[in-house]
Amino acid sequence: MSEVVNNMEKHRYEIEVDGHVAATYYRFLDGVIVFTHTQVPPELEGKGIGSELVKGALDQVRADRFRARAQCPFVKDWLEKHPDYDDLLRPNL
């Protein structure tokens, strides 16, 4: 599987698979990465790419010692299923 990359110019974390790019878009506000939208091409749907993308993005958020907030329904749902990432949602790390 490909690596999740932070494309800062486009304000998105992205992963390329089989020539297709899936991305989760964000805004950066005062040390908080606010996920706004996730897009997975139809060719990649149902393969777990969206979940891998969000996990990789949140792992990078954690490594960079930022916090996260989800406005994107997909990211919100993913976070609800993975309570081990709750620390990213707390006011202070």
Side-chain angles (χ1 to χ4, degrees):
M1 190 65 65
S2 299
E3 180 181 342
V4 174
V5 176
N6 184 358
N7 184 334
M8 290 186 224
E9 283 185 16
K10 294 186 177 180
H11 303 281
R12 69 186 194 185
Y13 290 90
E14 57 189 40
I15 188 170
E16 184 177 341
V17 179
D18 297 332
H20 303 282
V21 176
T24 186
Y25 293 83
Y26 66 84
R27 291 181 293 135
F28 187 73
L29 301 169
D30 299 323
V32 179
I33 302 285
V34 181
F35 290 94
T36 59
H37 178 67
T38 300
Q39 188 171 20
V40 177
E43 297 85 356
L44 301 178
E45 288 179 0
K47 298 179 180 181
I49 303 300
S51 292
E52 182 163 341
L53 170 65
V54 170
K55 180 186 183 311
L58 291 171
D59 286 345
Q60 289 184 40
V61 169
R62 180 179 279 145
D64 292 336
R65 300 191 51 81
F66 294 129
R67 293 179 287 139
R69 188 171 60 191
Q71 292 179 339
C72 168
F74 185 84
V75 177
K76 278 183 185 180
D77 288 345
W78 193 93
L79 283 165
E80 287 176 8
K81 295 173 187 170
H82 297 87
D84 49 319
Y85 284 82
D86 284 352
D87 62 300
L88 297 177
L89 306 175
R90 295 188 191 133
N92 297 307
L93 290 177

